[in-house]
Amino acid sequence: MANRYEDTIQSEWEKFSSEQGRLIPNILLLGASGCGKSSLINLILNKERGPVIDVSHMTKGFETYYGQEYNMNVNLIDSCGYEWSGGGGQYLASIKEKMKESLGKDPLEKIHVIWYCISVAPHKIWSLDIDIPKMLREDPELKNHIAVVITHCDMDHANGTTAKEYRKFLKKAIGEDLKVFEVSTDPNIPLELEELIVWSMSAMSDIDLEGVFADRQIKTLNDKRKAAMVKIGFYTALAGSAAAILPYGRSAALVPLQLKMANSIIQIYEIEDLANISQAVIGNVLISQLGKKAAGGLLKIIPVSPTRIIHGVVDASVASLITGTLGLAVSEICYSTCEKIAKGEPVDTEHMFDAEIITQYMDIFYDRFKSKGKGKSKSKGKQGKGV
């Protein structure tokens, strides 16, 4: 049976699929100053612009050109070039920082392909032109996404001697499987520009769109978890106040309040049509927790009469603790369920909110509470001795 969360997932997937009908690769261009990066960008985007000289105007030495602004399905990230950035060491550091920044981004926003540009014009390959591609290829995820682009090939000899020598030397120095393409700044002499574009697009094909979509939905789930925490805090305080007002009230009096909290959490996760939690289940969980936890390790942290616990009388501190851990348990069950739905995994709706499962989750949160309580007790003891 469909539920609100599944409907939301389906709607988001349809929107996501239509938006990603054509993937837009993010391509980072690296290489020495004057190696032809800017000319290559102009050629692809059909854009005329002057060379970037003032590095201070670039974000950390990089400038992004979004293809949609030029009716092109590619984003090109230009770099300042290592001769202008204060030397090879600084340039290497800026590349490492840029790649580290990329790792924390959404898969569709990461750097997907790297073009390392080397010009035939100086007839020389610098040591960094070997060191940087080799360094980047050490990352398994990047190895097959890096290509060396030999630029300014329209300035080469008629038979392309220099470019051929470059290709042979680079493959020997970096790896025989290295992708190498020859391009020209003259639009009438495209050479391997088309092959470079096709290869770059194919390098995007290993992105798992369903995995990307699931990751995005899990980020949304984290927002739902935060919203649930607000509800849990509210009802925890309410339960404590109720127990304080009715100091001899029995545990059953809190069940309707806890049921309302649980259903509020389920609604936040949009799965109220998929499963619900009954008053009888919460009653059983509450009695079980009072007998199992409060009469055991909990009494070492919260001072309360064992007689009152046995008779089902709940103090404000105990009421707050049980209500809070119950809320956390329900939230985690909802989170886990929605996570499975987002990933397309099967969900056992019939036993989702069994008393035994809820109790298992509550035990986890009790253990965390106990360890924190012991830590605080020890710190207080040390302070007392110090005084």
Side-chain angles (χ1 to χ4, degrees):
M1 181 177 67
N3 59 87
R4 276 207 304 144
Y5 185 69
E6 287 181 325
D7 290 341
T8 299
I9 288 287
Q10 182 61 33
S11 174
E12 289 295 323
W13 172 250
E14 290 173 359
K15 180 181 177 183
F16 177 80
S17 299
S18 62
E19 288 176 350
Q20 303 307 325
R22 288 183 295 179
L23 295 176
I24 300 179
N26 300 310
I27 301 174
L28 173 64
L29 286 80
L30 300 174
S33 168
C35 70
K37 299 188 298 295
S38 297
S39 298
L40 187 55
I41 290 174
N42 292 340
L43 186 63
I44 293 172
L45 298 182
N46 295 316
K47 177 182 181 296
E48 290 299 328
R49 68 181 182 90
V52 179
I53 298 176
D54 189 352
V55 178
S56 65
H57 290 167
M58 301 176 73
T59 305
K60 296 181 181 178
F62 297 91
E63 185 175 5
T64 302
Y65 294 87
Y66 296 98
Q68 290 182 337
E69 297 177 7
Y70 307 95
N71 296 316
M72 300 292 289
N73 288 315
V74 62
N75 299 323
L76 300 175
I77 307 167
D78 196 3
S79 61
C80 58
Y82 59 77
E83 288 182 0
W84 290 350
S85 62
Q90 186 177 338
Y91 189 60
L92 277 170
S94 69
I95 293 172
K96 289 178 180 178
E97 185 179 352
K98 186 69 175 177
M99 299 314 299
K100 183 179 179 181
E101 176 190 317
S102 173
L103 288 173
K105 291 187 175 181
D106 182 291
L108 292 176
E109 297 173 355
K110 291 181 178 180
I111 293 171
H112 304 121
V113 177
I114 297 174
W115 293 349
Y116 193 91
C117 300
I118 302 176
S119 173
V120 299
H123 299 280
K124 182 176 182 180
I125 296 177
W126 302 92
S127 59
L128 276 179
D129 295 333
I130 301 298
D131 296 340
I132 293 174
K134 286 181 73 173
M135 176 194 74
L136 293 169
R137 278 166 55 90
E138 289 175 359
D139 185 336
E141 292 186 10
L142 283 176
K143 183 175 181 179
N144 297 322
H145 296 248
I146 300 171
V148 169
V149 182
I150 303 175
T151 61
H152 298 144
C153 288
D154 49 313
M155 300 180 186
D156 197 358
H157 301 291
N159 57 358
T161 304
T162 304
K164 289 177 182 177
E165 290 177 353
Y166 273 24
R167 184 187 295 267
K168 184 178 179 180
F169 177 79
L170 290 166
K171 282 182 170 289
K172 184 177 180 180
I174 299 173
E176 289 297 329
D177 59 342
L178 177 70
K179 294 293 181 179
V180 181
F181 299 91
E182 299 173 26
V183 300
S184 164
T185 53
D186 185 347
N188 298 315
I189 311 174
L191 297 178
E192 297 178 319
L193 180 62
E194 184 177 330
E195 289 85 344
L196 172 63
I197 298 296
V198 171
W199 172 82
S200 299
M201 292 296 183
S202 67
M204 282 279 289
S205 64
D206 60 355
I207 289 183
D208 181 357
L209 281 185
E210 292 186 9
V212 173
F213 178 73
D215 288 343
R216 289 189 175 183
Q217 295 309 309
I218 289 171
K219 288 180 181 178
T220 304
L221 278 180
N222 289 329
D223 293 333
K224 293 181 183 295
R225 180 187 268 164
K226 291 176 183 177
M229 286 298 294
V230 174
K231 286 285 185 184
I232 293 167
F234 172 76
Y235 280 100
T236 296
L238 212 58
S241 298
I245 295 170
L246 300 171
Y248 295 99
R250 296 187 178 276
S251 60
L254 294 175
V255 171
L257 188 68
Q258 293 167 337
L259 177 63
K260 190 173 181 180
M261 173 190 68
N263 284 325
S264 295
I265 294 169
I266 292 170
Q267 287 176 9
I268 287 173
Y269 285 95
E270 302 181 276
I271 58 172
E272 67 272 16
D273 297 330
L274 186 64
N276 53 47
I277 188 168
S278 70
Q279 185 163 316
V281 167
I282 290 182
N284 290 336
V285 168
L286 181 56
I287 293 171
S288 169
Q289 292 300 318
L290 283 170
K292 181 180 176 182
K293 289 293 179 186
L298 186 60
L299 293 181
K300 298 176 183 178
I301 303 171
I302 301 176
V304 61
S305 167
T307 305
R308 296 184 71 196
I309 290 292
I310 292 170
H311 289 290
V313 179
V314 184
D315 281 44
S317 53
V318 176
S320 296
L321 180 63
I322 290 179
T323 302
T325 50
L326 172 64
L328 291 171
V330 172
S331 178
E332 288 307 300
I333 292 171
C334 290
Y335 184 98
S336 176
T337 299
C338 290
E339 188 176 32
K340 288 178 180 178
I341 292 173
K343 292 180 177 179
E345 299 175 2
V347 175
D348 183 4
T349 58
E350 187 177 348
H351 302 290
M352 188 185 305
F353 289 112
D354 282 356
E356 183 180 352
I357 294 174
I358 297 173
T359 301
Q360 287 174 0
Y361 274 96
M362 290 181 72
D363 287 346
I364 294 171
F365 292 110
Y366 270 129
D367 290 340
R368 292 179 187 175
F369 177 84
K370 284 167 67 177
S371 17
K372 285 183 181 179
K374 289 176 182 178
K376 289 180 180 179
S377 298
K378 287 180 181 179
S379 62
K380 285 181 179 180
K382 290 180 180 178
Q383 289 174 359
K385 287 180 182 179
V387 173

